Amino acid sequence: YLADGLGPVFNGDSCRACHFDPTVGGAGPRDVNVIVHGDFDDDGNFLEPPDGVVLEKLAVPGRVRPDRPETMVFETRQTPTIFGLGLLDAVPAESILALADPGDADADGVQGIAQILDDGRLGRFGWKANVPNLNEFVRDAMSNEMGLTLPDRDGMTFGDLTDDDIYPDPELSGEALDAAAFYISHLAAPVPKEDVPGGAELLDQVGCTACHVPFLDALEGDIPAYTDLLLHVIDAEGPPGIVTGRASPYHYRTPPLWGLADTGPYLHHGAATTIADAIAAHAGEAEASRALFDGLDPEQKDTLLRFLRMR
């Protein structure tokens, strides 16, 4: 509601406005994709807009989004599922850093870069892995997606503390913020619908597990997320896109594969309608794996795709 501080610019009026497919906490269709943008100087350096890279789609009555130069680069970001974030939040930073291979020391063509924030924290959430933990993820979404101002808290750097509307700041109480973070942290990760014999072996055989690591080491046991939470170049080279920290225009964080069949469309821009489309669109560090998938016989391809649909 406007009286609760929504806006003045925003993408949705609730978390559920975007995260609802197949149920609350899930992904979102293309029409709720977020727009991100930025510019480049004459030397090719990325210039982040003063109010951040997110260009909110909506505005409260009487407000308009600021004009942007025609030279700016615009991209869309698909709404990812937020199931299992509590588990990923609990993975020690050391477990993620151990998977990084920025110099490709094992010469497999896959690097994996850890996103390190300016304050030294490891990023793990978001398509550019630029958000370090679940609490900051919730703060970031409350401000960027709904335009809410938040209480100041020690060690927290995400989220807006003030804005220029008529409603007193902070517009969201600490109690409400904590309740939202608690709820999201307890959205369970999907479990496989059924076992597909040979599927996991084929995924490893074609090299997908170099990025989609089957298990992450956590304090309370291995987490079967099929991600390394690292940045990889998986986008084909083309027009320059958004730069975020250590993430170049073509770096994106490996998304978990749990609940895959129910969280389409796929990839950071949501341009892939099916899982097979998503595989076909992999480039960069994933080109060799894509070629190996293409070389499978029809029965093997069917087994692997069924395995992914059962995640």
Side-chain angles (χ1 to χ4, degrees):
Y1 297 100
L2 299 182
D4 295 321
L6 177 69
V9 290
F10 60 100
N11 282 319
D13 59 3
S14 67
C15 300
R16 184 175 57 184
C18 297
H19 297 278
F20 61 82
D21 193 13
T23 186
V24 175
R30 294 188 186 96
D31 59 0
V32 297
N33 277 8
V34 170
I35 301 170
V36 292
H37 67 306
D39 210 343
F40 289 83
D41 63 20
D42 293 337
D43 295 322
N45 299 308
F46 181 74
L47 303 175
E48 181 173 325
D51 48 357
V53 300
V54 176
L55 182 60
E56 289 85 355
K57 297 179 290 187
L58 305 173
V60 301
R63 291 295 292 259
V64 296
R65 298 184 302 173
D67 291 333
R68 302 301 187 196
E70 292 182 1
T71 56
M72 273 201 168
V73 174
F74 296 87
E75 292 187 303
T76 62
R77 291 285 183 268
Q78 192 265 343
T79 302
T81 176
I82 54 176
F83 294 130
L85 291 198
L87 292 175
L88 298 178
D89 193 47
V91 177
E94 295 76 13
S95 297
I96 301 170
L97 293 170
L99 299 171
D101 185 17
D104 193 16
D106 57 8
D108 65 352
V110 177
Q111 296 186 348
I113 297 173
Q115 176 72 281
I116 306 297
L117 280 60
D118 290 342
D119 58 15
R121 289 183 292 176
L122 172 69
R124 66 181 69 200
F125 295 132
W127 282 109
K128 294 288 188 177
N130 61 305
V131 184
N133 55 55
L134 191 143
N135 284 323
E136 294 279 40
F137 175 85
V138 174
R139 291 179 65 90
D140 186 56
M142 291 295 181
S143 287
N144 276 333
E145 314 304 338
M146 287 182 277
L148 298 174
T149 57
L150 311 173
D152 191 9
R153 285 186 168 170
D154 289 343
M156 299 290 177
T157 62
F158 285 72
D160 297 328
L161 304 182
T162 62
D163 61 18
D164 61 357
D165 63 21
I166 64 174
Y167 302 104
D169 302 316
E171 294 159 343
L172 190 69
S173 69
E175 292 78 9
L177 194 62
D178 290 341
F182 179 85
Y183 175 79
I184 292 172
S185 72
H186 287 78
L187 289 174
V191 298
K193 299 173 183 178
E194 66 178 65
D195 182 41
V196 179
E201 291 77 11
L202 281 169
L203 194 74
D204 185 61
Q205 178 181 318
V206 299
C208 295
T209 54
C211 300
H212 291 284
V213 177
F215 296 95
L216 288 174
D217 295 330
L219 298 178
E220 297 184 3
D222 292 340
I223 297 174
Y226 281 88
T227 178
D228 57 6
L229 298 179
L230 296 172
L231 296 166
H232 295 273
V233 175
I234 62 94
D235 207 6
E237 291 190 7
I242 304 304
V243 175
T244 306
R246 294 186 176 185
S248 76
Y250 311 110
H251 276 104
Y252 297 95
R253 189 209 68 165
T254 307
L257 295 184
W258 48 34
L260 187 64
D262 298 319
T263 55
Y266 305 104
L267 303 179
H268 57 280
H269 40 45
T273 300
T274 67
I275 295 172
D277 291 339
I279 295 172
H282 276 59
E285 296 175 40
E287 282 192 27
S289 291
R290 186 192 65 205
L292 288 171
F293 173 80
D294 290 341
L296 295 176
D297 64 43
E299 183 177 350
Q300 290 174 315
K301 282 185 180 179
D302 180 67
T303 297
L304 181 49
L305 289 172
R306 283 195 300 113
F307 172 79
L308 293 173
R309 288 195 295 269
M310 292 300 107
R311 292 297 88 201

